[in-house]
Amino acid sequence: MHTNPVHSAPAPAAPHLGGLGLFTVLLGAALPMIDFFIVNVALPSIEHDLAAGPALLELVVGGYGVAYAVLLVLGGRVGDSLGRRRLFLVGMAAFGVTSLACGLAPNAWTLVAARVAQGAASALMLPQVLATIQATTEGPRRARAMSLYGATGGLSMVAGQILGGVLVAADLGGTGWRAVFLVNVPVVVLGLVLAVRTVPDTRAGRPAAVDVPGTLLLALSLVSLLLPLTEGRAAGWPLWTWVSLGVFPVAAAAFYATERRADRLGHTPLVPPSLLRLESLRRGLALLLPFSIGFGGFMFVLAVTLQQGLGIGPVRAGLALAPMAVAFFGASLAGPRLVSRFGSRLVTAGAVIQAIGIAVLLATLRLGWPDLGPAALAPGIALAGLGQGFQMPVLMRLVLSDVPADRAGAGSGVMITAQQSAVALGVATLGSLFLALAPTAGVRDAVSTTLLVQLGLIALSVLLSLRLPRMR
């Protein structure tokens, strides 16, 4: 009698992220970063159209950034538990709805509320991108995907201001500043269609419950720091801003103690202290913070300097940043090959090149003011972008290099929260320094002082980069 041999069931194939899937998640990563900066060039139009004062305008920018930074780690944790594709789809759909609400806002307070909601939607979507890349790629494919993610991050920040200038100047259908938000809607629809078809679903092997005390204390820590720094200058530094800043160290210490206790009791904290014991993550984050503070402040101050100091219109001001975008993208793509040859020393070289670019830009502004156009500024801006492009993707890859796949959501959430909080901190601190000096010292001296501070941050980056773990 013939019997069929018994075969064991094949193991399920590991989820694989194809080229179109990678494009889709990178599109999801680009949208929140573009919208962090796209509003900068639209603020004068918003102020005129909605009769919004300086404090409300600061909230239009800062409300988005604070909600975004506060909820990122939670977004990563929920994606680990419920499925990263599901959270990516929910976050992207919510981003489209809140973008529509921003574009249709009848008054300034409605716009502020819609921007806060848009930041929250971004926090659901963005952590799923890195976590999905970590869980569905390995080896050279992961290195390439991480480089493209880093390139997307830097380019999005630059492209946001370029695109914002073009859209405001174009005044499509009489929409004016509203177009900077409405343009997101068709892009979101495309992203949702692609995501359903091309993004594999992944989740953590041992999903953890939400750490409620940790989430609340992290939110309190970030809000008590970022909100007064964002709002303080425009509001005239009232008492609540100083009280809030006084709350920050207490809340941060309580957060750390709560997370350590949860770890000790065998629970799963929002930010596991064991992750911070990874040398690659700890040292990479230490360098990512000054880099991102400088990057955020530089982009904001340069946008204001080009338009208000040099009198360059929004479109030409955006195009002045094009050399930075091209150099950043080229450096990001070359990163994996150069890392295999020079390791983490590429970050040191990138910081030195960035410092040279900032120094060239500073000299150009000092010597040529005020008769300067995009062509004269291009060498310094391009060198700064080249140096930044050699740093950001490598740092992101390094930070996550030793994070286990089942903790990819937590690891990416921690990294993105640190990065975006630092970008917001850079806009708040370097931006406030610039705006405080400009009325008395003049725009040229204000931007010069700000660039000197950034050179100090870059010098710190060089020193920290010498302590980075070796990588291939």
Side-chain angles (χ1 to χ4, degrees):
M1 188 172 72
H2 179 73
T3 57
N4 291 324
V6 177
H7 296 286
S8 59
H16 172 77
L17 186 69
L20 192 54
L22 179 61
F23 169 81
T24 304
V25 294
L26 291 180
L27 179 65
L31 286 171
M33 298 183 194
I34 286 174
D35 268 63
F36 192 95
F37 286 95
I38 197 170
V39 76
N40 284 348
V41 291
L43 289 177
S45 301
I46 294 172
E47 181 179 21
H48 178 267
D49 192 25
L50 300 183
L56 271 179
L57 288 176
E58 292 278 2
L59 275 178
V60 170
V61 178
Y64 175 91
V66 171
Y68 185 26
V70 162
L71 295 171
L72 275 167
V73 177
L74 181 62
R77 169 64 60 82
V78 176
D80 281 352
S81 301
L82 299 183
R84 292 160 188 147
R85 183 176 69 169
R86 179 185 298 179
L87 260 289
F88 182 80
L89 290 168
V90 170
M92 181 171 275
F95 186 85
V97 171
T98 52
S99 295
L100 183 62
C102 289
L104 299 178
N107 55 58
W109 278 111
T110 305
L111 178 58
V112 168
R115 282 283 284 174
V116 170
Q118 190 186 35
S122 298
L124 287 181
M125 176 169 57
L126 190 61
Q128 318 316 324
V129 175
L130 269 179
T132 298
I133 289 173
Q134 286 286 100
T136 59
T137 60
E138 56 186 20
R141 288 186 64 249
R142 179 180 294 178
R144 179 172 171 272
M146 289 297 296
S147 294
L148 287 171
Y149 176 87
T152 300
L155 275 176
S156 298
M157 296 177 195
V158 180
Q161 295 190 180
I162 297 174
L163 182 61
V166 170
L167 289 172
V168 171
D171 193 21
L172 300 171
T175 54
W177 61 268
R178 298 177 186 275
V180 304
F181 301 113
L182 297 176
V183 72
N184 291 331
V185 178
V187 178
V188 163
V189 172
L190 172 64
L192 288 171
V193 171
L194 289 174
V196 169
R197 300 172 65 89
T198 65
V199 178
D201 194 19
T202 64
R203 64 188 69 204
R206 299 186 304 275
V210 172
D211 173 15
V212 175
T215 300
L216 293 176
L217 285 169
L218 178 62
L220 179 61
S221 301
L222 291 174
V223 169
S224 62
L225 175 66
L226 294 176
L227 191 59
L229 288 177
T230 301
E231 274 290 287
R233 185 196 61 82
W237 296 106
L239 178 61
W240 73 262
T241 58
W242 299 107
V243 172
S244 182
L245 288 171
V247 167
F248 166 68
V250 179
F255 170 69
Y256 181 69
T258 300
E259 299 301 270
R260 282 195 65 183
R261 182 172 181 274
D263 215 19
R264 198 166 55 246
L265 293 174
H267 302 156
T268 308
L270 187 70
V271 179
S274 53
L275 277 183
L276 299 178
R277 287 198 290 270
L278 296 173
E279 183 189 26
S280 54
L281 184 138
R282 190 175 63 252
R283 293 192 177 184
L285 281 183
L287 207 159
L288 192 63
L289 289 174
F291 174 86
S292 299
I293 289 170
F295 194 104
F298 177 76
M299 294 302 298
F300 177 80
V301 169
L302 193 59
V304 178
T305 298
L306 290 170
Q307 292 186 77
Q308 297 184 9
L310 295 175
I312 297 174
V315 175
R316 290 185 70 217
L319 291 177
L321 295 172
M324 183 179 184
V326 172
F328 191 105
F329 190 66
S332 298
L333 293 184
R337 183 167 47 83
L338 294 173
V339 165
S340 65
R341 183 171 178 183
F342 300 108
S344 56
R345 289 295 170 261
L346 182 61
V347 176
T348 309
V352 171
I353 294 169
Q354 183 189 5
I356 293 170
I358 297 294
V360 169
L361 181 60
L362 177 59
T364 304
L365 289 168
R366 297 293 302 175
L367 297 173
W369 192 274
D371 302 316
L372 291 168
L377 299 169
I381 288 176
L383 276 173
L386 186 69
Q388 289 163 341
F390 282 138
Q391 293 174 81
M392 183 187 279
V394 180
L395 282 174
M396 289 182 167
R397 178 181 163 194
L398 177 68
V399 167
L400 296 177
S401 59
D402 295 327
V403 175
D406 66 341
R407 302 174 87 183
S412 61
V414 169
M415 187 190 76
I416 303 168
T417 298
Q419 181 203 9
Q420 296 303 321
S421 299
V423 167
L425 194 59
V427 173
T429 53
L430 296 182
S432 292
L433 173 66
F434 170 81
L435 293 171
L437 291 174
T440 52
V443 174
R444 187 188 74 160
D445 287 348
V447 71
S448 299
T449 302
T450 309
L451 291 177
L452 285 172
V453 172
Q454 190 180 5
L455 281 173
L457 289 169
I458 297 171
L460 176 61
S461 296
V462 171
L463 293 175
L464 290 172
S465 72
L466 298 176
R467 301 184 68 243
L468 288 176
R470 297 286 181 179
M471 61 184 296
R472 295 190 302 276

